[in-house]
Amino acid sequence: MSFKYRMIRARDAALGGAVGPTDYVLCRDLQMNPIDGEYTAQDWADGQEGAKPEELFNPRSSLQFNVDAGWGQAAGTAPRIAHLLKACGMSETVVADTSVTYQPVGFGAAFGAVDVETYRNGKVQALGEVRGSLTFTANSGQRPMFGFNMVGRYAAPQAGVFGAPDLTGWQYAPAVVPSQMQTFTIGGVNLCATQFTFTDGRTPRVDKYMNCAGVDIAERRVTGRVTVKEVDIATKALVEECRTGVTSAIIWELNQEQAALGAMRIAAPRVQIKWGGEVNIEGDMGVNLDLTFMPDQGDDDVAIIFKAQE
C-alpha cells in the first residue's frame, strides 16, 4: 500500500446529491484520522493490577489539509473552495460583477457544512456534516495557502475506489512576489513583509450536548503574526504602538497575473500589534509582530475578498 494513494472530495452539503468526481480537492499536507475521539480507561476496582481496557467515547473522524488560496474567474464569482470557507463559519456576500466577500458569521447564526469522502488505499469513508477551522498563510515567494482542520461524524470505511480526479478548472493562486502584490499596509503604512498569517481560533466538535446532535465550531478569536523589516520611528513607531495598544487596519492584496481574473484582499479593520521579538531577515533588522484581530462594526474581524484589480 502506497502512502500516495490518498485523496479527498468535498461537496457543499446544501447542494444535496452524492459526492462525485468533480468534487475533488487538490490539497497538500493531507492528514486523515479515520477514527478519533476520547479513550477513557475503565479503571474498575476489580482487585487486579495492570492496565484496564479503554473505551472510545464520542467517535468522529477528522482531517487536516492545505489548499492554494486560489481564484481565477471574473469579479463577483465565488472561488472553487467557497464551500470549504463556509464550512469554517464564514458567510458569503456576492456583489454581482464586483466582489465576493467572506466574513465570520455571528454567534448562533447558521453556517455551512460539507459532505466529504476520503480515500486511503482502497478504503472510502463518507463523512457528513463536516465543519472546521481556518488558517491563512502567505510567505514571500510562495503561493498563499488556506489551511483547514475539519471534523465530521464517524462512518465506517468501506472497500471502494475513487478513480481519476477531475480537476478541470481548479484554481491556483499566484506567488507572493512584488510584481503581484498590490499592497500590504498596517495603519496605512506600507511595510516590507516576509510572512503574514492568521487563524480563526475555532475548534470543531461533535455532539457537545447530550441530547442535541450536531457538528459545531467554537467561538472565534482571530490571531496572527507578521514578519516585517523594521522602519524608522518617523515612518511608524512600532515599539510605542505595541506599548500603547494602538489598533490599526491591515490590508493585504494580491493580484492574479491576468488582470481580468482579479485580486484577493485580506482586510481587517481593527488589529492590535504586539511585540514578538527581533528576527534577522538575511542581514536586515526584522520584527515579528503578533496580531489580535478585533471586530469594528459587527462580525468584521477579518474579511477575505475576491474582487477586481485596482
Side-chain angles (χ1 to χ4, degrees), residues 71 180 255-263 309:
W71 72 102
Q180 302 307 129
N255 291 330
Q256 277 282 13
E257 294 182 4
Q258 299 178 34
L261 300 182
Q309 292 186 16

Side-chain angles (χ1 to χ4, degrees), residues 37-111:
E38 288 79 42
Y39 283 94
T40 302
Q42 304 304 295
D43 206 4
W44 308 116
D46 58 3
Q48 296 181 346
E49 292 188 28
K52 302 297 190 292
E54 295 186 17
E55 187 173 354
L56 179 65
F57 291 94
N58 194 17
R60 55 190 181 269
S61 300
S62 63
L63 62 160
Q64 299 82 39
F65 56 93
N66 294 319
V67 301
D68 251 35
W71 72 102
Q73 293 175 292
T77 305
R80 185 159 170 170
I81 59 171
H83 56 316
L84 298 175
L85 297 175
K86 291 187 286 185
C88 293
M90 303 294 275
S91 65
E92 180 183 73
T93 302
V94 179
V95 178
D97 303 320
T98 302
S99 65
V100 183
T101 300
Y102 298 88
Q103 289 180 286
V105 299
F107 183 76
F111 58 95

Side-chain angles (χ1 to χ4, degrees), residues 5 27 55 58 67 91 120 123 134 139 183 189 203 214-215 267 291 305:
Y5 294 156
C27 64
E55 187 173 354
N58 194 17
V67 301
S91 65
R120 300 173 62 253
K123 295 176 282 293
L134 174 69
N139 290 307
T183 188
V189 177
T203 302
V215 180
L291 310 172
I305 307 166

